[in-house]
Amino acid sequence: MATSTLWALFIAVVQASPTGPTHSYANESNLLWPDSCHEAVAAKPPFASNSWPFIAITTMAVLASVLSISTIIMHCTKLTRVRQQLFVILIVCFVPVYEAYSWMSFTTTQDWQAINFNILRDLYDAVVVFSFYSLLRLYIGDNEREQRLILERQSEISLPPLLMFQYRYDPSDPKFLTRNKACVYQFVVMKPLMTVAALCAQFFGVYCAGTGSLKYGHAWYLLVTCMSLTLAMFSIFTLYMAVKEEIKSHNPVQKFFSIKAVIIIGFLQTLLLLTLSNRGRISFPAGWDLARMDAFVTAAEVLAVTPFLCYYFSHREYEQVKST
């Protein structure tokens, strides 16, 4: 359902007026990010189908998608824990979703379409966060009552100090799980809202994906997304710390890093490329720009993570359940 919603939204965006807003950005080396946003007149030249960049990103997209889809098929044919495996399938689906939108962002000749593709691609982060959190809770217990019984047996936890701040919390508190869910689900709600806001800002020409000025929508999109994602990640971490001994047989740490690495590193990668590009520290070859570089690197990162993702979210874990 999430994929079909993304596809419907993709069709609506792509079929929008071809005179939609396109932007290029001033290279003001005295600023971290430029404070201006200018319209681009010419479209980007397309890559030939026999050029190495086109062949490379197509190969990466196909390989990653084949590996992930084969894992999904194996889960569908060996359903023993339906609820858990449903969330596993939604998590693994992020590979073809990311690869497809990265490929479209790379191959399009229109800047505004590339930006829209990247915005829609990142929307799936909400599905991944929701699915992983739900899977983590199912590892604890099949329902909320069982989950609360496990948490009630836990003692107070003190996390290592970070920046001279030490956080203590009590998982046995009846309100802990309620607050924990609220902190994670706020990202699940906020991400689609920010996606809609970003698409609207892009349509009206005030998104400006190459500037960090608060006068434009892109800076607010990054700021709100960063704050919301940080809160969700911290909440998932606190739940894991409370029950790590009970769920260690499911390899939650390896699963966490195999999916969150792409989300977090991809977010930081976008900021890094944007900053270096606008400060004149990097220059792109002919035919390349910031959007294409971001899409190409993201496709490579997803391909690199896919084997680990398929291994740790393998159907074999549920074959063992059936045999026992």
Side-chain angles (χ1 to χ4, degrees), residues 191-251:
K191 188 63 177 181
L193 293 178
M194 291 305 299
T195 298
V196 173
L199 291 175
C200 291
Q202 172 70 1
F203 180 80
F204 289 107
V206 293
Y207 183 69
C208 301
T211 177
S213 172
L214 293 178
K215 292 190 288 187
Y216 303 108
H218 183 236
W220 289 103
Y221 174 80
L222 291 178
L223 179 63
V224 174
T225 299
C226 181
M227 294 173 60
S228 180
L229 180 60
T230 300
L231 179 59
M233 293 294 99
F234 180 76
S235 300
I236 292 176
F237 178 71
T238 58
L239 179 62
Y240 162 73
M241 290 298 294
V243 295
K244 61 181 180 179
E245 293 299 326
E246 286 79 0
I247 65 174
K248 62 182 179 181
S249 62
H250 295 283
N251 298 314

Side-chain angles (χ1 to χ4, degrees), residues 29-221:
S29 58
N30 60 321
L31 295 176
L32 178 63
W33 285 326
D35 191 43
S36 55
C37 181
H38 305 284
E39 289 191 358
V41 178
K44 297 180 292 187
F47 281 110
S49 58
N50 61 347
S51 63
W52 78 262
F54 184 89
I55 294 174
I57 195 169
T58 301
T59 302
M60 290 188 293
V62 171
L63 286 177
S65 298
V66 168
L67 285 173
S68 59
I69 291 173
S70 63
T71 299
I72 292 171
I73 292 174
M74 293 305 295
H75 274 285
C76 291
T77 57
K78 300 180 184 298
L79 290 173
T80 56
R81 292 282 185 87
V82 177
R83 293 177 64 195
Q84 288 189 19
Q85 289 177 270
L86 172 62
F87 292 121
V88 168
I89 290 171
L90 288 175
I91 291 171
V92 178
C93 275
F94 103 90
V95 173
V97 169
Y98 260 60
E99 290 288 4
Y101 278 105
S102 295
W103 186 89
M104 290 185 290
S105 177
F106 184 84
T107 56
T108 184
T109 60
Q110 300 294 330
D111 282 337
W112 67 276
Q113 285 186 344
I115 294 170
N116 288 344
F117 289 146
N118 288 339
I119 293 172
L120 291 174
R121 178 195 66 197
D122 295 343
L123 174 60
Y124 203 79
D125 293 353
V127 179
V128 174
V129 170
F130 172 78
S131 300
F132 183 79
Y133 181 70
S134 300
L135 184 63
L136 192 65
R137 290 181 56 196
L138 286 174
Y139 288 158
I140 303 172
D142 290 332
N143 53 62
E144 187 166 324
R145 180 177 175 275
E146 293 181 5
Q147 296 161 12
R148 291 185 180 277
L149 288 175
I150 297 294
L151 291 172
E152 286 175 0
R153 299 202 295 263
Q154 310 303 319
S155 57
E156 185 180 77
I157 297 175
S158 179
L159 297 179
L162 180 63
L163 298 178
M164 300 179 66
F165 172 76
Q166 191 165 24
Y167 182 73
R168 293 185 178 88
Y169 64 100
D170 185 5
S172 63
D173 185 344
K175 296 182 180 179
F176 168 76
L177 186 59
T178 302
R179 293 169 180 168
N180 192 265
K181 289 190 297 182
C183 290
V184 175
Y185 291 160
Q186 57 80 26
F187 177 76
V188 178
V189 174
M190 187 62 67
K191 188 63 177 181
L193 293 178
M194 291 305 299
T195 298
V196 173
L199 291 175
C200 291
Q202 172 70 1
F203 180 80
F204 289 107
V206 293
Y207 183 69
C208 301
T211 177
S213 172
L214 293 178
K215 292 190 288 187
Y216 303 108
H218 183 236
W220 289 103
Y221 174 80

